[in-house]
Amino acid sequence: MYTQAMDLAPKEERKALRSAEEAALEARFEARIDDGDFIEAKDWMPEHYRKTLVRQISQHAHSEIVGMLPEGNWISRAPTLKRKAILLAKVQDEGGHGLYLYAAAETLGTSRDQMLEALHNGKAKYSSIFNYPTLTWADIGTIGWLVDGAAIMNQVPLTRCSYAPYARAMVRICREESFHQRQGYDSLLVMMREGTVAQREMVQDAVNRWWWPSLMMFGPPDKDSVHGAQGMRWGIKRISNDDLRQKFIDATAEQAKVLGVTLPDPLLKWNEERGHYDFGPIDWDEFWRVVGGHGPCNKERLAARVKAWEDGQWVRDAALAHARKQATKEQAA
Amino acid sequence: MSDVRNEWPLWEIFVRAKSGLDHKHCGSLHAPDAKMAVQLAREVYTRRQEGTSVWVVKSSDITASDPSDKGELFDPMEDKVYRHPTFYQLPDSVNHM
């Protein structure tokens, strides 16, 4: 999902360098990147690198926060206390991931309020996957297995991102994300092995609906990806969209067999020669429709976020007023 | 650009993984005051028993060395190998010293 941020950005012309001094700084920066060095918040960096990162990290953060909504939808309806506790923990993790990432983006000079405003007024994007509805309990397991599985594929290379605060946040996130995928698969496994016919059909239906949107999480094909090359050059992106997607399909096809579900692609077939699974064409028109705001839940998701923010305003204000009052009291004493 | 006056201040969070170890920086968060910062740090950074103690420090209270002074500050130690015990070759019989 996170590579989407880069692909969705408008293509910008890089500004011509202004001075010899700046050219020298940029040359030194590029050399550090080439050496595999990490860039820290206070280090000099080209404006375009900074902007690209702010965009990518904030959109990644937004995805974590909006991603709480489709799953939060099922907390009160989880089938057992155990599953409810697991789901609560997972949704709390997503909130935590959003916070690590917002903090990483803030080191680049943007503010939390600026980022939230961009999300709320629709200027900033989040992963298109969260604009699909969670219709049954099987969707929750399927999201863990496929959506978090795809997210992990995307995120593991980011632990080696050249921007250190982002890389550090990603290390923490990846460590926690593994639980998300495993609990999802485990939940589906229980339904497939111990469930009724209706429950097994529910799992298959959920897999049918989430499969293609999950593949879209890796972003458009490399040939249509406008920012890929620069991202690779700067060590922000390490593996191409198509390579990650193929890796995900190869891993998931085997997991589907163990689970006992089929993946909804008649062209999905092991290719001995390539050493990979072949797969059918992805409907990129659907992807762009959803990204453009016309997915099944775009309006609902954004409205829920804005409402949560506005409803919480009095709490934030009260906490701040209390803190200021206490500080004044202490000063007076 | 939005009005940021009412944003909660930023705090740096340090967590002691277990008793006997030092507190280590693990990230930052926004909180209205120190008490809330400790509470939120617990929720954000120790959901899996990652810590037994938390320090919070207002980010604006931290003074850091300038990255452009890195060479001047730290490179002089590069050629002072005699500060390390391994610099000294002693006879085998006493080399465990």
Side-chain angles (χ1 to χ4, degrees):
Chain A
M1 75 184 81
Y2 311 108
T3 49
Q4 279 185 9
M6 204 175 287
D7 293 311
L8 303 182
K11 200 169 168 86
E12 286 162 8
E13 289 303 316
R14 295 187 60 191
K15 259 191 309 196
L17 290 174
R18 265 164 298 172
S19 64
E21 190 195 3
E22 208 166 315
L25 285 168
E26 177 136 358
R28 202 181 317 151
F29 173 86
E30 299 277 351
R32 286 184 64 186
I33 296 275
D34 290 343
D35 284 350
D37 201 0
F38 284 106
I39 307 299
E40 291 288 348
K42 297 273 165 60
D43 295 347
W44 186 90
M45 61 186 87
E47 229 10 72
H48 194 65
Y49 177 84
R50 183 185 300 273
K51 265 170 89 175
T52 303
L53 277 167
V54 167
R55 192 162 48 216
Q56 175 164 335
I57 302 172
S58 64
Q59 294 189 9
H60 192 162
H62 296 330
S63 300
E64 301 286 353
I65 297 296
V66 176
M68 296 165 83
L69 297 170
E71 291 181 293
N73 180 33
W74 278 91
I75 290 174
S76 62
R77 294 179 285 167
T80 65
L81 187 57
K82 175 183 142 185
R83 292 292 165 193
K84 185 176 182 145
I86 292 170
L87 185 55
L88 265 171
K90 179 178 190 293
V91 173
Q92 194 192 14
D93 273 356
E94 307 295 1
H97 296 177
L99 292 179
Y100 309 153
L101 290 164
Y102 281 131
E106 283 172 75
T107 62
L108 290 159
T110 182
S111 77
R112 184 75 57 96
D113 281 357
Q114 275 174 310
M115 286 186 275
L116 291 182
E117 189 172 280
L119 172 68
H120 295 165
N121 69 23
K123 242 176 70 192
K125 300 278 182 220
Y126 53 86
S127 179
S128 57
I129 194 80
F130 301 119
N131 289 316
Y132 291 87
T134 40
L135 302 179
T136 72
W137 172 251
D139 286 37
I140 299 304
T142 307
I143 285 180
W145 175 38
L146 296 180
V147 176
D148 289 282
I152 292 170
M153 277 302 169
N154 257 324
Q155 292 178 135
V156 168
L158 291 175
T159 59
R160 291 179 291 122
C161 172
S162 62
Y163 187 59
Y166 189 29
R168 286 194 288 266
M170 291 317 303
V171 168
R172 189 175 280 277
I173 289 174
C174 287
R175 212 182 292 144
E176 299 179 350
E177 202 83 53
S178 169
F179 142 63
H180 297 180
Q181 190 186 17
R182 292 174 70 96
Q183 66 80 33
Y185 193 83
D186 174 73
S187 156
L188 297 180
L189 210 52
V190 168
M191 278 191 272
M192 292 304 289
R193 290 191 173 166
E194 297 162 32
T196 61
V197 174
Q199 284 170 326
R200 285 198 294 275
E201 281 171 357
M202 204 162 83
V203 173
Q204 183 63 60
D205 169 66
V207 170
N208 291 348
R209 282 182 289 108
W210 288 95
W211 174 248
W212 292 107
S214 299
L215 296 189
M216 294 175 195
M217 287 173 65
F218 295 94
D222 295 341
K223 62 179 173 52
D224 303 327
S225 180
V226 289
H227 295 273
Q230 180 66 74
M232 290 275 198
R233 170 81 194 78
W234 272 339
I236 295 174
K237 194 170 164 55
R238 296 284 187 187
I239 307 178
S240 85
N241 294 358
D242 286 337
D243 288 351
L244 283 169
R245 187 166 15 245
Q246 182 71 62
K247 205 172 155 204
F248 174 73
I249 291 170
D250 292 345
T252 313
E254 295 300 318
Q255 293 160 0
K257 286 182 197 162
V258 176
L259 196 55
V261 294
T262 57
L263 297 171
D265 179 357
L267 298 176
L268 187 77
K269 197 168 169 266
W270 178 252
N271 183 326
E272 194 64 53
E273 207 175 301
R274 288 204 310 130
H276 291 293
Y277 276 89
D278 289 334
F279 55 97
I282 295 171
D283 181 1
W284 291 109
D285 290 341
E286 174 181 327
F287 172 76
W288 291 114
R289 259 198 317 278
V290 178
V291 167
H294 304 292
C297 302
N298 293 56
K299 289 196 179 66
E300 189 186 327
R301 299 288 185 242
L302 207 54
R305 278 316 310 155
V306 172
K307 184 175 185 303
W309 179 251
E310 287 174 352
D311 287 354
Q313 184 69 50
W314 72 270
V315 180
R316 292 191 300 279
D317 289 347
L320 200 60
H322 175 75
R324 282 179 181 156
K325 205 165 140 188
Q326 293 301 315
T328 316
K329 244 199 230 165
E330 250 170 60
Q331 254 175 357
Chain B
M1 199 170 286
S2 73
D3 179 3
V4 297
R5 272 175 313 162
N6 278 324
E7 207 174 77
W8 287 352
L10 194 65
W11 301 75
E12 299 303 320
I13 311 303
F14 300 80
V15 171
R16 185 202 294 282
K18 56 182 187 188
S19 62
L21 297 182
D22 42 11
H23 285 78
K24 205 175 147 205
H25 182 248
C26 69
S28 47
L29 53 79
H30 289 273
D33 56 31
K35 202 174 153 191
M36 279 291 287
V38 169
Q39 190 62 40
L40 293 174
R42 170 189 169 268
E43 300 292 340
V44 177
Y45 292 108
T46 64
R47 289 195 300 280
R48 290 178 176 77
Q49 291 189 298
E50 289 96 335
T52 58
S53 161
V54 170
W55 284 354
V56 302
V57 182
K58 242 188 197 169
S59 308
S60 56
D61 289 341
I62 290 183
T63 307
S65 62
D66 188 333
S68 59
D69 293 342
K70 190 171 141 234
E72 193 183 318
L73 287 174
F74 306 111
D75 286 354
M77 297 307 143
E78 204 175 35
D79 57 1
K80 295 181 176 57
V81 284
Y82 50 84
R83 294 185 177 214
H84 296 276
T86 45
F87 177 71
Y88 304 93
Q89 286 304 314
L90 300 183
D92 280 350
S93 56
V94 292
N95 203 23
H96 60 274
M97 188 186 289

